[in-house]
Amino acid sequence: MIYSMTGFGRAEATTATKKFTVELRTLNSKQLDLSIRVPGQWRELEVTLRPMLATGLQRGKAECGVTAENTGTEAGGDFNMPVLASYKEKVEQMRRDLQLPEPADWYATLLRLPEVFHVRMADAEEADAEGEAITRAAKEALANLQDFRKREGAKLEVFFKGAIEGIGALLKQVEPLEKERVPKIKARLEEQLQRLAMPEYDHERLEQEMIFYLEKLDVTEEKTRLRAHLDYFMETMELPEGGQGKKLGFIAQEMGREINTLGSKANHAGIQRIVVQMKDLLEQIKEQVLNVL
């Protein structure tokens, strides 16, 4: 079973006076790159959230956002009346000194200034409840994200199986072409030798050299290793724990080496066409492996 690195999870949790929403988004990345945004008064919870999320996410570029909404009947803070009065006095003084018109909207002018509103701090019991609610929502959002990753991983698995089976089918098409390849190469070499005005030569030595040359063009080992890599790729996808992305990437690289060697040794137009099709499927695999956790 494979999981996608791309995912989204959302969850909510409430207390007597607040509703907290946690959203998690992930994209593919070689390592874990986790960014957490928590409103200032709950910032200390990041110390708890980070290791929990990191363990579950494993890899990927991840963003965690926490938002809070007041659901109680009382406001969550009070206006700082002395500060507001001081601001108003200073604005009026500036207006008189600079001979400016009076503000059209005193409310909008004053409320944009800093420290005019005091957020009411929660007591210890309320703060504990809020911290537990945020943590609970984060765990649920992580679980929802993992479900999303699993569904996307199932789609990737279907694609990979089709591509691997496609390369395997192409590999089988090489065999009948290979049987005719060696005799054709041998006949071509003999024909070219006959065209040369050569003195008498050792036919037995020539035969040995030709055998040595043809052995260098043999692709049996490449086919065997490629088949083994195809099987290993499929077996790795079926591992139950997830997190196979890097290993699948390494296997795909080894498959590429065997396909390239097969193409360089082929010396046969039909086999080289098959190799091109294999490379096309392999590039699609490599592109999608980057999205596997």
Side-chain angles (χ1 to χ4, degrees), residues 94-243:
M94 180 187 67
R95 180 182 65 81
R96 289 192 297 267
D97 292 346
L98 300 178
Q99 298 181 355
L100 297 172
E102 186 171 338
D105 187 346
W106 275 105
Y107 293 104
T109 301
L110 294 176
L111 292 178
R112 282 199 297 265
L113 297 171
E115 299 181 5
V116 299
F117 191 79
H118 276 317
V119 176
R120 182 180 65 81
M121 301 303 294
D123 58 32
E125 184 177 347
E126 188 177 357
D128 289 343
E130 291 172 355
E132 290 174 2
I134 292 174
T135 304
R136 186 169 67 251
K139 289 180 179 179
E140 186 178 346
L142 179 60
N144 292 337
L145 180 137
Q146 298 292 47
D147 289 341
F148 189 105
R149 280 179 157 185
K150 184 177 180 180
R151 292 194 299 272
E152 292 299 305
K155 296 177 184 177
L156 287 172
E157 191 168 342
V158 170
F159 166 79
F160 287 137
K161 286 181 177 179
I164 292 296
E165 289 171 358
I167 293 176
L170 290 169
L171 185 58
K172 289 181 180 179
Q173 295 178 26
V174 172
E175 296 178 6
L177 298 177
E178 188 183 7
K179 291 178 181 179
E180 68 181 38
R181 182 176 68 106
V182 172
K184 282 186 176 181
I185 295 173
K186 186 176 180 180
R188 187 166 68 248
L189 290 173
E190 291 174 344
E191 181 182 350
Q192 290 173 350
L193 286 172
Q194 290 174 2
R195 291 178 181 175
L196 299 174
M198 294 181 62
E200 193 66 26
Y201 55 86
D202 187 341
H203 290 274
E204 183 176 345
R205 177 63 184 275
L206 177 62
E207 188 71 21
Q208 291 175 352
E209 292 294 332
M210 190 174 293
I211 291 173
F212 177 72
Y213 174 72
L214 293 174
E215 284 179 349
K216 290 177 66 177
L217 296 180
D218 183 67
V219 294
T220 302
E221 289 186 9
E222 284 74 20
K223 292 191 303 177
T224 301
R225 286 196 292 264
L226 179 55
R227 169 48 61 191
H229 294 327
L230 296 174
D231 293 339
Y232 190 30
F233 194 100
M234 297 288 278
E235 292 169 7
T236 302
M237 280 201 303
E238 294 172 1
L239 295 176
E241 69 274 10

Side-chain angles (χ1 to χ4, degrees), residues 15-65:
T15 64
T17 59
K18 290 183 176 62
K19 180 175 75 172
F20 296 98
T21 303
V22 177
E23 290 188 349
L24 272 173
R25 292 180 175 84
T26 56
L27 297 172
N28 60 324
S29 177
K30 289 184 178 179
Q31 306 296 333
L32 176 63
D33 180 8
L34 175 58
S35 171
I36 301 177
R37 292 178 287 104
V38 183
Q41 63 195 99
W42 299 284
R43 189 67 53 78
E44 68 276 5
L45 285 174
E46 184 176 339
V47 177
T48 303
L49 295 178
R50 184 170 291 277
M52 179 193 74
L53 294 174
T55 301
L57 294 172
Q58 299 182 45
R59 278 207 305 156
K61 181 176 176 59
E63 293 183 359
C64 174

